[in-house]
Amino acid sequence: MTVQKASQLPPRAEEISQLIRERLADVRTSGGTRETVTLEWGSQPLHVEVIDLPLSDVYYNPDTHRIRAQRGHKPELDAKLEADPYGDDGQRYLGELLRALPSDPQKEDPAFENLKRDLAEFGQNDPGLVTHHGVLVNGNTRAAALRELKASSIRVGVLPASFTSADVSAVELALQLRKDNKRDYSYINRLLAMEEQAAMGRTPAKIAREFRIQEKTYYQERWILSTIRELIDRSTTAEGASLRLVDFEFDQEKLKELERLYKKISSAEPDEAELIKELRLAGILLDFSKTDVRHIDQNFVKQQYLAKTLPPVLRDLTGDSTPAEVAIPGLGVSVSAASSRVVEARALNDRIIQSLAARKGTVQVSEERKTEVEAVLTGAKAAFDAAIDRAGRDARIRKRKQLAPARLAEASAFIDQTTDELVKARTSHSLDEEAFDDALVHLRKSLTKLARQAGRVPGEPGDGVAWLLSAVTAEGGRP
């Protein structure tokens, strides 16, 4: 949350602040039971008093984490909101986003409808929370629902007047991240909230505790948000369209798997890691399933499955412009540029994401451009589909080829363990010799069957197969 300047306060800030002071004074002198809201604040709980405020005297919080990613849904309204956060246009836009489905702001969220029904039937059970100037810290969605129900007021706890913007942000996070919260932050808004906390100077360990995650997960989430932002920047088209944060709302697990694979490979094979990253991101944005995207791995890039399926419109996007070295400004030195395959993959991904931005964006494009965009996306989808299918079939074949050796290695490990257990049993005189002998007879039968099948493998037998065949023959068996 940005630090509010005096000019950013609501236009009726002093009037509302005076009303809040009067309502608080009335509560304190009424003599009845006073309702309070308890907040997690520092080392001790903070109890704030609850009052009724007219809905006309509360403002949606323009910095709420709940709809941060969705603000870019309508750039022209977001610009108005940024310029005048408490003006009519900006507040109406916030109300629209609070009612919307986080993953698709064009649709109304079913959870919002459920909240409305609950409020209509049972009333407001939990109070919201406001600053001394009437800005909602918690309860923005409830206020939107109550307004649709034509309610006149909302119950709110009032934060101390001494609270700074950073304090307000910390309180909102503490409330919204509790497990009893009825409508969780969307995934992207959680990422943005973490980024904001880091910008305020909080340590990764503290942020991880606040979000109830491990510290390594915090670093993973920051990497994912950085990657998303980079893709959004690269997706900007000549017409001014670009991808939005909400376009990645359903890709949480795919992005996490990508981060784990990238970190695993990048230290030893940085170019290979970059190549996989670009191709996986393209697969994710083309809406392939998690199991399909997993096939875009080291073997996928080594076998160059995609190069064999790309249509002409998506080939040779870089020409001969790939530099051998890249100069570092100000240092007078150069380092090796990314490999030509990485550059090609980035160019392919840029073409795909810019086409997606043109398709999804609100910017008007010509019919010729629409035809070009559809040709790119249709061709890319078909090429990735064919390449992933081939990679998947080859992976299943490799798995079948490796299954028998893997089972035999597992059996060898069990026999080694049996040897240790046999020594211990003999030492303690606890060996069941009859059961042990029966098990060895069964093992001999199993080895005989194994030798029979191994002897049918074409070609000259190796040392292991030759030993097995001779051992079974010596026992009088028929391999």
Side-chain angles (χ1 to χ4, degrees):
M1 182 181 295
T2 54
V3 177
Q4 290 184 344
K5 301 175 184 177
S7 60
Q8 293 177 303
L9 294 176
R12 298 172 52 235
E14 288 306 317
E15 178 187 341
I16 293 171
S17 185
Q18 178 61 33
L19 173 63
I20 288 173
R21 286 194 294 269
E22 292 172 358
R23 294 284 172 96
L24 286 172
D26 289 342
V27 166
R28 290 164 187 162
T29 58
S30 65
T33 303
R34 289 153 58 177
E35 182 182 6
T36 61
V37 175
T38 302
L39 310 174
E40 298 175 14
W41 186 248
S43 59
Q44 294 183 341
L46 174 65
H47 306 286
V48 298
E49 290 176 306
V50 174
I51 61 173
D52 266 353
L53 273 183
L55 278 165
S56 58
D57 289 331
V58 296
Y59 292 89
Y60 297 129
N61 183 359
D63 290 318
T64 178
H65 301 92
R66 181 170 297 288
I67 46 85
R68 184 72 57 82
Q70 288 72 26
R71 281 183 48 169
H73 172 55
K74 295 181 178 177
E76 67 283 0
L77 289 178
D78 188 36
K80 290 182 178 181
L81 176 59
E82 189 69 29
D84 187 9
Y86 302 108
D88 290 343
D89 289 339
Q91 287 286 300
R92 272 195 299 270
Y93 185 43
L94 286 173
E96 178 185 324
L97 294 178
L98 288 165
R99 294 190 293 271
L101 188 67
S103 57
D104 186 357
Q106 296 184 87
K107 301 176 182 177
E108 189 160 280
D109 190 349
F112 182 79
E113 285 300 314
N114 291 338
L115 175 61
K116 272 174 57 179
R117 283 194 292 270
D118 185 79
L119 288 169
E121 185 173 356
F122 303 108
Q124 184 188 354
N125 293 324
D126 302 316
L129 198 66
V130 293
T131 68
H132 251 265
H133 296 113
V135 179
L136 287 159
V137 178
N138 190 37
N140 284 273
T141 312
R142 270 169 285 173
L146 287 168
R147 281 174 171 155
E148 285 209 356
L149 293 170
K150 308 301 182 185
S152 60
S153 64
I154 181 172
R155 286 174 29 253
V156 288
V158 182
L159 288 175
S162 60
F163 265 38
T164 64
S165 293
D167 294 334
V168 169
S169 177
V171 166
E172 185 199 3
L173 281 176
L175 287 168
Q176 296 295 340
L177 295 176
R178 287 188 319 197
K179 292 188 181 293
D180 62 352
N181 180 49
K182 293 182 179 178
R183 190 182 182 219
D184 293 333
Y185 282 163
S186 71
Y187 175 60
I188 300 299
N189 283 327
R190 281 177 62 88
L191 299 186
L192 293 173
M194 290 183 202
E195 180 184 58
E196 180 184 279
Q197 295 298 298
M200 290 179 177
R202 293 189 170 92
T203 65
K206 185 172 182 180
I207 296 172
R209 283 196 302 273
E210 288 176 347
F211 281 80
R212 297 173 175 85
I213 58 175
Q214 295 181 354
E215 195 169 336
K216 67 178 182 179
T217 305
Y218 163 79
Y219 286 112
Q220 179 186 59
E221 304 287 41
R222 294 303 306 278
W223 184 91
I224 288 172
L225 182 57
S226 174
T227 300
I228 290 173
R229 287 198 186 283
E230 178 195 343
L231 282 176
I232 290 173
D233 289 342
R234 288 165 52 189
S235 73
T236 303
T237 67
E239 301 91 355
S242 66
L243 293 176
R244 306 160 301 170
L245 288 166
V246 294
D247 293 325
F248 299 86
E249 193 63 62
F250 292 127
D251 299 325
Q252 175 178 354
E253 293 304 320
K254 299 176 196 175
L255 291 168
K256 286 186 174 183
E257 287 191 2
L258 169 59
E259 187 272 347
R260 288 193 290 268
L261 181 62
Y262 180 85
K263 291 292 177 66
K264 178 182 176 181
I265 300 172
S266 59
S267 57
E269 298 287 346
D271 272 1
E272 189 173 81
E274 287 296 329
L275 187 53
I276 293 171
K277 174 185 171 184
E278 290 296 332
L279 296 180
R280 270 213 184 188
L281 287 170
I284 290 169
L285 285 165
L286 287 169
D287 205 27
F288 283 93
S289 69
K290 183 167 64 173
T291 51
D292 283 341
V293 169
R294 284 175 184 157
H295 290 305
I296 304 176
D297 56 10
Q298 290 169 285
N299 192 66
F300 186 91
V301 300
K302 286 175 181 175
Q303 297 299 324
Q304 299 191 46
Y305 290 112
L306 188 63
K308 303 167 187 174
T309 61
L310 280 176
V313 71
L314 292 173
R315 294 179 188 159
D316 303 321
L317 297 177
T318 60
D320 298 321
S321 59
T322 305
E325 293 185 330
V326 176
I328 301 178
L331 296 182
V333 297
S334 298
V335 296
S336 298
S339 71
S340 59
R341 290 189 65 196
V342 173
V343 174
E344 289 168 3
R346 284 182 65 88
L348 171 64
N349 203 4
D350 285 349
R351 189 76 180 275
I352 291 170
I353 60 181
Q354 287 168 18
S355 296
L356 283 168
R359 175 198 273 179
K360 294 182 176 185
T362 57
V363 179
Q364 291 294 323
V365 296
S366 66
E367 290 301 318
E368 182 181 359
R369 174 64 170 146
K370 288 180 181 178
T371 302
E372 177 193 348
V373 162
E374 292 308 314
V376 167
L377 294 178
T378 301
K381 183 78 173 182
F384 271 84
D385 194 24
I388 288 171
D389 181 64
R390 177 64 186 275
R393 283 189 283 114
D394 287 356
R396 289 191 291 273
I397 292 171
R398 287 196 307 275
K399 186 174 181 180
R400 286 198 297 269
K401 287 181 176 180
Q402 295 165 0
L403 193 56
R407 294 292 191 195
L408 197 55
E410 187 178 358
S412 298
F414 277 118
I415 290 175
D416 290 340
Q417 185 178 352
T418 301
T419 302
D420 294 337
E421 296 296 337
L422 179 61
V423 171
K424 294 177 183 177
R426 289 177 56 192
T427 303
S428 62
H429 304 289
S430 60
L431 177 65
D432 185 337
E433 295 180 3
E434 186 176 347
F436 183 68
D437 192 66
D438 288 343
L440 286 173
V441 170
H442 185 75
L443 175 62
R444 182 176 63 186
K445 292 178 181 178
S446 297
L447 288 173
T448 300
K449 287 192 290 184
L450 178 61
R452 189 174 297 122
Q453 297 303 320
R456 295 173 181 172
V457 174
E460 189 70 22
D463 291 344
V465 174
W467 168 84
L468 178 62
L469 295 175
S470 63
V472 170
T473 302
E475 285 291 319
R478 289 188 306 106

